[in-house]
Amino acid sequence: SQQGEEDPQALSIQEGENATMNCSYKTSINNLQWYRQNSGRGLVHLILIRSNEREKHSGRLRVTLDTSKKSSSLLITASRAADTASYFCATGLIQGAQKLVFGQGTRLTINP
Amino acid sequence: NAGVMQNPRHLVRRRGQEARLRCSPMKGHSHVYWYRQLPEEGLKFMVYLQKENIIDESGMPKERFSAEFPKEGPSILRIQQVVRGDSAAYFCASSPGTTGNQPQHFGDGTRLSIL
C-alpha cells in the first residue's frame, strides 16, 4: 500500500478560491515534501517541512504537518488558472531519507 | 543554469530491444535518483546513485534493469529485453548533498513506449 495517500484525488474550484489538499502517511518520517507536476512535465518542488516543524509558508502556499496523526495539508490561497496541475506529497523516511515515497497525487483544476 | 536534463524525451522500442535513458544532474549535484511513473499514479523510487556508486537499488527490478553514474558523463538507466509493462515515464532527480532534508530537482522525464 502507499506510504503517502492524497485526498481528494481530484479537486475542481473557481479561480480566486482556496484549495486544500491532504496527505496521510504510515511510517515515521524525516521530512515531508510537496511537489507540483504539470501535464507532461517533471515535478517541481514546492515546500519541504521537517518532522519537527508544524507549519511552513511560501508565498500563497501553506503547509502543515501533524506527526501525531501522520498527516499533512497543502493550502493554496487565491488560486489562479496557472495552479492547475497535479500535486504530490512525498515522504523522506528516517531510514533512507534520500528515497522519496510518493502518494498518488491530487489533480487540481482551477476554473477561470 | 540548466536544470536536470533527461534524454531522450520520448523513446519507442519494440519488445526485446534495449532502452537507454540518460540523465545529467544539475551543476554541482552529485546525487542522482531514478523514479518510474505509470499513468495516473505517483512516482515509484527505483535507484539512488552517487558518482560511481549505487547507494540504494531497492526499488529496481532484479532482472533486466541496471543503472550507473560514471565519474564522467550522465547517469544511465538501462532496460534490457523490454516488455510492454516497461512502458512508463522515467524521471531522474538530483540533489547536492548527503542529508535527507533537501529537495530533489527533477527532469522532465523520458516517456518510454514499448510496441
Side-chain angles (χ1 to χ4, degrees):
Chain A
S1 62
Q2 297 288 335
Q3 159 72 342
E5 295 189 3
E6 282 95 338
D7 168 54
Q9 290 189 352
L11 179 62
S12 181
I13 61 174
Q14 294 300 120
E15 196 167 19
E17 294 180 337
N18 296 341
T20 299
M21 288 159 271
N22 302 297
C23 169
S24 60
Y25 57 92
K26 292 182 171 62
T27 60
S28 297
I29 62 171
N30 192 41
N31 64 69
L32 187 143
Q33 305 180 34
W34 285 91
Y35 288 82
R36 183 187 74 224
Q37 184 179 36
N38 291 88
S39 181
R41 303 297 300 274
L43 276 69
V44 174
H45 180 262
L46 297 176
I47 288 186
L48 182 152
I49 186 166
R50 301 184 185 203
S51 59
N52 61 353
E53 296 176 312
R54 292 296 165 259
E55 188 170 311
K56 216 162 182 181
H57 297 254
S58 176
R60 295 183 295 113
L61 306 180
R62 173 177 169 254
V63 166
T64 62
L65 178 64
D66 187 336
T67 52
S68 67
K69 295 181 180 177
K70 291 187 167 56
S71 67
S72 173
S73 68
L74 170 66
L75 168 67
I76 304 175
T77 60
S79 63
R80 304 167 182 169
D83 294 329
T84 294
S86 292
Y87 291 80
F88 295 90
C89 70
T91 49
L93 306 181
I94 291 176
Q95 291 284 351
Q98 302 89 346
K99 176 174 74 177
L100 294 179
V101 181
F102 284 85
Q104 292 195 330
T106 292
R107 184 173 297 172
L108 176 65
T109 302
I110 308 299
N111 301 303
Chain B
N1 182 22
V4 177
M5 303 300 292
Q6 289 189 248
N7 69 82
R9 288 294 310 277
H10 301 274
L11 182 61
V12 179
R13 285 287 178 265
R14 296 188 181 280
R15 280 178 294 171
Q17 291 184 322
E18 177 179 291
R20 280 186 178 236
L21 288 63
R22 295 175 188 77
C23 169
S24 295
M26 282 184 71
K27 188 176 181 180
H29 287 192
S30 58
H31 298 247
V32 165
Y33 316 82
W34 285 94
Y35 294 85
R36 178 164 62 178
Q37 185 179 34
L38 295 173
E40 310 300 324
E41 293 190 9
L43 277 68
K44 299 286 195 298
F45 170 81
M46 298 181 73
V47 62
Y48 161 40
L49 311 101
Q50 297 176 24
K51 284 285 186 182
E52 301 185 277
N53 286 306
I54 296 175
I55 307 301
D56 181 347
E57 56 182 349
S58 58
M60 200 150 71
K62 294 286 185 284
E63 297 182 356
R64 302 188 299 108
F65 286 72
S66 63
E68 62 177 12
F69 188 17
K71 188 176 180 181
E72 301 290 339
S75 175
I76 306 287
L77 179 67
R78 182 182 177 205
I79 311 173
Q80 295 178 289
Q81 299 173 344
V82 295
V83 301
R84 288 251 170 88
D86 296 333
S87 294
Y90 291 83
F91 290 93
C92 170
S94 70
S95 69
T98 57
T99 68
N101 282 320
Q102 291 178 330
Q104 294 180 12
H105 300 265
F106 283 80
D108 280 338
T110 293
R111 274 134 190 93
L112 176 64
S113 298
I114 309 301
L115 302 179

